Amino acid sequence: MTDQTEEEFLKKYDPTKYRTPDGYTADIAVFTIAKDNSFINEEQTTSRVLKLLLIKRGDNDSEGNPNIEGNKWALPGGFIDPGETAYEAAIRELEEETKVTNIHVQHFNVYDKEGRDPRGWIISNAHYAIVQEKLLESRKGSDDAKEVALFSIQDVFKLDLAFDHNQIIKDALAFITRDMLETTVAKNFLPQEFILSDLRDVLLAVAPASVLGTKSSFFRKAPTLPFIELVTNKDGEPKMTVPTKESKRPTRLYRFVDYQSVHTIYR
């Protein structure tokens, strides 16, 4: 044991004794739910499909150098700038890639296995984001991207994906499925005021119908959930939708309310 102070120790500390990463990145799995009549679930009740935004990497990067894993599809993301956290970098990269802000972004895992990137030991901090489809209409890629496109989950895994993004996407899908069923994150796919059938359709885009139960049981239980409330007008009467060609009958509107859920295996 020595008598040196912490300040004295830090002056002598040699970080070169330890191996450090060759790079630190943030990747973002950007999910949206879109209407697609070519996909209908087993109950034939919804054509809403969970889709993922991917970037096709160009042949060259923004500086004209050969792009690593060029011509492959990849998650949007990039290197973390000095002074940034991984979460801040994910927010920045997402805005640069999609031009959208103030959306739900959630960290879910770190990928640090050596060999995952040909450039060296590159560590990725992975996040998922939820974006309403209309916000992605003007999507565009960064300077080193050839294309930006939305793919159904079924089609994603048919693509030639860069790096270890196949595994990252599988993990992101597992996390968003869990969060959709165990939290109120589904509200990010919906307008502030919604009808219960739209909520069920959004959930069915991620989870099998067997998890939600029958339509009648869902519509019976949903209004009693502590994080959903009926929207009323100034007279306290239920606010209703305006009839359309598709929905000729007025339907009650609901909204999410703040709620902190606590899950335990002991209850």
Side-chain angles (χ1 to χ4, degrees):
M1 182 162 180
T2 67
D3 294 329
Q4 65 179 336
T5 65
E6 182 178 295
E7 184 178 358
E8 290 171 334
F9 169 74
L10 289 175
K11 286 181 179 179
K12 299 176 181 178
Y13 176 74
D14 182 10
T16 62
K17 292 180 2 182
Y18 307 99
R19 187 175 174 208
T20 55
D22 300 312
Y24 186 31
T25 64
D27 288 312
I28 314 101
V30 183
F31 290 102
T32 192
I33 289 181
K35 287 193 175 183
D36 189 333
N37 291 324
S38 63
F39 291 90
I40 302 293
N41 73 6
E42 65 260 42
E43 282 198 346
Q44 302 290 304
T45 57
T46 181
S47 58
R48 298 197 190 207
V49 179
L50 185 69
K51 293 194 173 185
L52 183 69
L53 180 82
L54 293 177
I55 308 294
K56 191 167 189 180
R57 295 172 65 81
D59 298 313
N60 300 98
D61 63 19
S62 57
E63 297 177 355
N65 300 312
N67 209 11
I68 305 302
E69 303 279 74
N71 262 332
K72 292 185 178 182
W73 290 94
L75 295 168
F79 285 93
I80 297 167
D81 291 337
E84 272 188 325
T85 65
Y87 183 80
E88 290 167 346
I91 298 292
R92 173 181 55 77
E93 289 286 347
L94 184 59
E95 182 177 356
E96 290 174 1
E97 299 287 1
T98 65
K99 307 304 178 188
V100 296
T101 58
N102 299 319
I103 58 175
H104 181 84
V105 177
Q106 178 73 44
H107 172 264
F108 68 87
N109 211 350
V110 174
Y111 296 85
D112 57 3
K113 186 176 181 180
E114 192 164 7
R116 62 174 300 274
D117 191 309
R119 292 167 291 192
W121 186 28
I122 309 292
I123 294 177
S124 177
N125 221 310
H127 307 72
Y128 78 71
I130 292 177
V131 185
Q132 291 190 29
E133 185 188 18
K134 64 182 180 181
L135 298 178
L136 295 177
E137 290 175 353
S138 59
R139 58 186 181 265
K140 59 179 292 186
S142 56
D143 294 337
D144 59 351
K146 275 186 174 180
E147 301 175 49
V148 182
L150 284 172
F151 295 93
S152 69
I153 299 302
Q154 291 93 326
D155 289 338
V156 163
F157 296 111
K158 300 174 184 177
L159 300 171
D160 188 13
L161 297 171
F163 309 112
D164 56 351
H165 288 191
N166 186 292
Q167 185 61 53
I168 295 177
I169 293 168
K170 286 180 179 178
D171 293 345
L173 184 60
F175 274 94
I176 195 175
T177 300
R178 183 202 65 185
D179 288 349
M180 286 280 281
L181 295 174
E182 295 184 359
T183 74
T184 58
V185 75
K187 66 183 178 183
N188 295 282
F189 288 116
L190 293 162
Q192 187 173 2
E193 297 177 357
F194 56 87
I195 59 176
L196 293 181
S197 60
D198 282 346
L199 171 59
R200 188 169 186 270
D201 283 350
V202 161
L203 295 172
L204 284 172
V206 176
S210 57
V211 174
L212 298 178
T214 64
K215 290 177 69 172
S216 59
S217 65
F218 180 84
F219 292 138
R220 185 168 56 251
K221 182 178 180 180
T224 70
L225 296 171
F227 48 84
I228 290 176
E229 70 176 7
L230 182 68
V231 180
T232 58
N233 59 26
K234 61 182 180 180
D235 298 321
E237 298 172 340
K239 187 175 179 181
M240 311 291 282
T241 59
V242 177
T244 63
K245 290 182 179 180
E246 292 76 21
S247 179
K248 298 180 180 180
R249 183 181 302 176
T251 306
R252 291 185 173 190
L253 287 165
Y254 292 83
R255 63 186 166 210
F256 282 93
V257 296
D258 290 336
Y259 179 78
Q260 186 65 44
S261 176
V262 177
H263 296 277
T264 172
I265 63 173
Y266 297 102
R267 185 173 63 188

